[in-house]
Amino acid sequence: MNSSLEQLKTRFTQALVTAFGSDFTETDPMVVPASNPKFGDYQSNVSLSLAKQLGQKPRLIAEQIVKHLEVTDICQTPTIAGPGFINLTLEPAYLTQQLNTIQIDPRLGVERTKQPQRVIVDFSSPNIAKEMHVGHLRSTIIGDSIARILEFQGHDVLRLNHVGDWGTQFGMLITYLREAYPDALTTAGALELGDLVAFYRQAKQRFDHDEAFRGASRKEVVQLQAGAEDSRRAWQLLCEQSRREFQVIYNLLDIQVTERGESFYNPLLPAVVQDLERLDLLEEDNGANCVFLEGFTNKQGQPLPLIVQKSDGGYNYATTDLAALRYRIQQDGANRIIYVTDGGQANHFAQVFQVAQRAGWLTEEVEVVHVPFGLVQGEDGKKLKTRSGETVRLRDLLDEAIARSQADMATRLKEEDREETAEFIAHVAQVVGLSAVKYADLSQNRTSNYIFSYDKMLTLQGNTAPYMLYAYARIQSISRKGNIDFEQLGADAKILLQEETELVLGKHLLQLGEVLRDLEQDLLPNRLCQYLYELSQKFNRFYDQCPVLKTEEPQRTSRLGLCDLTARTLKLGLSLLGIQVLERM
Ligand code: ARG
């Protein structure tokens, strides 16, 4: 189904061409949702922008457009306001017909993209043996939602976990492993490191204070890179241990992602440097091989170098990203590559993209996007920490959210004098707790920092997951109360829009497709959150004012249809945020 916006754009273009000739076939008709409901549903300022070109007063242009605008099947008669704005109000009969169409569509009227792309979303990407911190949590939640949205729109999405599983720290880690857990290398399953982060800290301690250990570590790196068998085995053990810990988090959060860590690109790194050399982009700087960047300068105004090979011959984060970018374009056939990391890496990506472009690997046909996000802060506005001042472990953070949601629920059940099984309580608490964490993250504009507050994210009021889940469950309770099977309602539930609150809700229900189409471009999941939040509010207003079960036919079935559509829209929208609904809570 074409959205009303698309249909109106087409009609506007037709009117422009009829009024002013075929030169205007490509002119953007500038139809947008109205900035204020008092102007109707949509508006166009195109007459103002054409004034110069046509040498006419905008108001006169507007009049000519309106004269040729054939929209009687969609809108009420267009009106012209002020200097020449054209305002449009959708016709209830049109809305009714659209709603009845989306009702029998599992995609709720959201069309698949006409230009499916091969998209890579690079997200989560924690580092082996280091802790997976709140920054990785943000990347995981935002990246997963972006991937879900693009998949739903019909793109072919490859979700990649660019795990930090390579680099000089492995020399130190393996040396420490040999020393502290020698059995691990000979006996299968002997390694129960438990807390790898503590292990990393101990290894670092030795590295910083023990000269001999440092020497051994350096040798170990060389051996590992040369492919020595027991070094590789030790490396593998460390990776597996970390992987198990990451997987616990992914399982809890329902995240699918394919691991393709930095080590994957290791064999490709020498060729990257050679090619840069061959393309005459490489320069030597203090013994390191680098590319001097355009538009990045130091304080003295001199161009900054991007090091791709250190003076000891080793490669770095940037080299790996260059190799990865080339591989993703040439081998994976990606048209669009999306990197979800904290804003602090913006320069890194801008530099890598520039070099890849100058090398000719990154062409016009491929879009690369860095999707940056802000910091997660504690309630004091500082870096998130535990009470004793340590960094918060993700596992603990998620468990705490679940525990608090369980406590909230216990209070609520008591107040309502309800009895529920332990199993039910545990399930609801887990869904609500984890959704709250995801939603709190996604509902902010991702570029700003946000304050992590269990109290705020778990409250039943406002733009929170519990509020949204509650709206959904409330609708399901209507069907239980009235003994209605929404699925049986199907095509028979003809929707009529009579009351103002019904009209407002109906219009909103038809906008999901437009919201998702915008999201494909701007990759801002908070827009979807905002849409769903407004949907819940509009539903609540409707439900307060329009009796559903206690009204006569044909309103009763129509209103049940609106309830069902709202619930399905919430369920679909939340699923694109990685949030699962509850029939009862
Ligand atoms: N491992 C990195 C970190 O923890 C993130 C990697 C992001 N992806 C990339 N292709 N560089 O900061």
Side-chain angles (χ1 to χ4, degrees):
M1 189 185 80
N2 275 328
S3 72
S4 41
L5 181 61
E6 275 171 73
Q7 294 186 39
L8 288 173
K9 282 184 184 167
T10 313
R11 304 294 178 86
F12 257 78
T13 303
Q14 286 162 357
L16 283 170
V17 172
T18 321
F20 308 112
S22 56
D23 285 356
F24 294 83
T25 332
E26 299 294 318
T27 306
D28 177 4
M30 297 173 75
V31 185
V32 292
S35 56
N36 184 325
K38 78 175 183 242
F39 302 137
D41 297 312
Y42 294 98
Q43 64 188 44
S44 166
N45 299 349
V46 71
S47 20
L48 281 80
S49 80
L50 291 181
K52 216 177 190 172
Q53 188 183 351
L54 288 167
Q56 293 179 25
K57 285 233 163 60
R59 203 163 167 108
L60 201 71
I61 299 174
E63 277 162 19
Q64 293 170 82
I65 296 174
V66 167
K67 199 169 109 198
H68 293 102
L69 194 58
E70 284 175 34
V71 287
T72 41
D73 53 334
I74 305 178
C75 297
Q76 297 166 14
T77 312
T79 57
I80 300 171
F85 306 119
I86 302 174
N87 294 336
L88 303 154
T89 303
L90 296 170
E91 188 69 66
Y94 166 82
L95 292 168
T96 302
Q97 173 236 319
Q98 298 284 95
L99 286 168
N100 287 322
T101 315
I102 71 169
Q103 194 164 32
I104 50 172
D105 178 3
R107 292 182 58 88
L108 301 175
V110 180
E111 272 200 0
R112 270 172 219 279
T113 172
K114 292 185 188 77
Q115 281 111 19
Q117 290 183 310
R118 172 82 164 150
V119 186
I120 289 178
V121 185
D122 174 322
F123 72 107
S124 194
S125 309
N127 302 312
I128 299 291
K130 293 196 195 166
E131 84 186 304
M132 189 172 178
H133 53 69
V134 282
H136 297 123
L137 179 68
R138 283 211 88 175
S139 174
T140 305
I141 293 171
I142 296 170
D144 176 58
S145 175
I146 289 176
R148 284 174 190 262
I149 292 163
L150 296 174
E151 282 155 0
F152 181 72
Q153 293 298 84
H155 297 288
D156 175 16
V157 179
L158 178 58
R159 299 156 162 255
L160 288 183
N161 201 358
H162 192 81
V163 178
D165 64 354
W166 203 244
T168 45
Q169 80 269 27
F170 282 94
M172 163 187 106
L173 289 165
I174 296 171
T175 308
Y176 189 67
L177 185 71
R178 286 190 201 283
E179 183 184 291
Y181 302 87
D183 291 351
L185 290 167
T186 47
T187 326
L191 186 67
E192 252 319 323
L193 282 182
D195 190 354
L196 254 188
V197 177
F199 178 86
Y200 187 93
R201 227 178 283 136
Q202 287 150 11
K204 184 87 172 48
Q205 185 85 15
R206 294 275 291 149
F207 187 85
D208 289 345
H209 296 103
D210 184 339
E211 178 66 49
F213 185 92
R214 259 199 307 274
S217 299
R218 292 210 179 91
K219 260 196 220 127
E220 194 57 68
V221 181
V222 179
Q223 281 193 313
L224 176 66
Q225 296 190 331
E229 207 183 310
D230 64 334
S231 303
R232 281 204 76 93
R233 203 178 314 130
W235 169 73
Q236 219 121 39
L237 275 173
L238 292 165
C239 291
E240 273 159 27
Q241 173 78 18
S242 265
R243 216 170 269 145
R244 274 198 292 273
E245 288 174 20
F246 299 156
Q247 198 54 46
V248 172
I249 306 287
Y250 296 145
N251 289 347
L252 262 178
L253 294 175
D254 187 21
I255 304 293
Q256 303 292 332
V257 62
T258 304
E259 182 179 323
R260 197 199 272 169
E262 294 183 13
S263 63
F264 176 89
Y265 304 99
N266 185 52
L268 313 174
L269 303 179
V272 166
V273 177
Q274 277 159 25
D275 282 3
L276 291 173
E277 165 98 80
R278 197 172 43 78
L279 294 161
D280 225 9
L281 288 167
L282 217 56
E283 279 176 66
E284 209 197 287
D285 187 44
N286 286 322
N289 278 321
C290 46
V291 179
F292 279 92
L293 297 157
E294 292 160 4
F296 291 91
T297 48
N298 62 14
K299 283 197 196 94
Q300 285 77 44
Q302 279 135 2
L304 277 179
L306 179 71
I307 298 177
V308 293
Q309 188 169 27
K310 294 181 283 185
S311 53
D312 66 3
Y315 304 102
N316 61 19
Y317 190 49
T319 329
T320 307
D321 260 322
L322 282 169
L325 182 52
R326 178 152 84 155
Y327 189 92
R328 290 166 181 186
I329 295 171
Q330 296 177 353
Q331 311 299 318
D332 295 319
N335 312 114
R336 192 179 190 201
I337 309 171
I338 296 168
Y339 298 81
V340 189
T341 78
D342 63 282
Q345 299 198 32
N347 272 343
H348 162 74
F349 285 110
Q351 297 173 351
V352 166
F353 297 164
Q354 182 191 115
V355 172
Q357 200 181 1
R358 283 163 63 193
W361 304 328
L362 175 57
T363 57
E364 298 247 301
E365 285 89 75
V366 183
E367 186 196 0
V368 283
V369 203
H370 176 223
V371 166
F373 53 78
L375 305 173
V376 184
Q377 300 164 318
E379 301 208 42
D380 54 3
K382 297 199 192 112
K383 202 176 158 205
L384 191 66
K385 287 211 181 77
T386 61
R387 253 184 233 136
S388 53
E390 284 162 43
T391 30
V392 184
R393 295 181 38 177
L394 281 196
R395 184 65 218 262
D396 297 341
L397 180 135
L398 298 175
D399 284 347
E400 173 86 15
I402 297 170
R404 292 208 190 201
S405 115
Q406 180 142 352
D408 285 358
M409 192 173 171
T411 319
R412 197 157 49 81
L413 291 179
K414 211 164 174 189
E415 280 165 11
E416 294 171 10
D417 206 15
R418 265 167 70 191
E419 288 260 1
E420 298 288 357
T421 64
E423 212 184 345
F424 175 82
I425 296 175
H427 176 65
V428 173
Q430 166 141 348
V431 172
V432 172
L434 297 176
S435 306
V437 172
K438 285 190 180 184
Y439 195 89
D441 195 317
L442 292 168
S443 57
Q444 309 285 322
N445 182 315
R446 57 174 164 71
T447 53
S448 38
N449 297 344
Y450 87 97
I451 294 187
F452 191 95
S453 156
Y454 290 112
D455 288 340
K456 277 211 189 94
M457 66 178 72
L458 284 167
T459 164
L460 270 171
Q461 262 84 49
N463 193 8
T464 64
Y467 177 80
M468 233 60 73
L469 293 174
Y470 199 74
Y472 179 85
R474 189 178 183 194
I475 301 177
Q476 301 311 317
S477 82
I478 300 171
S479 85
R480 282 192 296 273
K481 232 187 275 162
N483 232 331
I484 313 268
D485 182 356
F486 278 147
E487 271 167 38
Q488 296 299 309
L489 229 52
D492 298 332
K494 286 275 169 281
I495 290 175
L496 316 157
L497 304 172
Q498 285 158 338
E499 302 297 325
E500 182 62 22
T501 55
E502 291 177 300
L503 208 61
V504 169
L505 176 62
K507 282 180 187 173
H508 201 79
L509 284 167
L510 290 170
Q511 282 163 14
L512 180 64
E514 279 165 31
V515 171
L516 293 180
R517 211 173 350 268
D518 286 348
L519 267 181
E520 268 184 82
Q521 285 320 306
D522 61 28
L523 309 173
L524 288 170
N526 62 303
R527 300 240 165 117
L528 178 56
C529 296
Q530 187 62 32
Y531 169 81
L532 296 172
Y533 179 47
E534 284 170 22
L535 176 64
S536 313
Q537 289 177 316
K538 287 173 179 174
F539 174 79
N540 287 341
R541 252 170 252 143
F542 150 77
Y543 192 62
D544 280 347
Q545 294 186 16
C546 299
V548 176
L549 292 172
K550 292 202 177 100
T551 193
E552 297 300 311
E553 292 298 354
Q555 276 95 339
R556 187 171 185 271
T557 300
S558 160
R559 288 179 183 168
L560 283 168
L562 277 174
C563 290
D564 175 43
L565 256 185
T566 304
R568 284 162 59 201
T569 306
L570 282 173
K571 184 174 180 174
L572 173 60
L574 288 171
S575 81
L576 299 179
L577 300 170
I579 293 175
Q580 154 193 3
V581 292
L582 292 161
E583 300 304 304
R584 234 160 48 78
M585 62 189 279

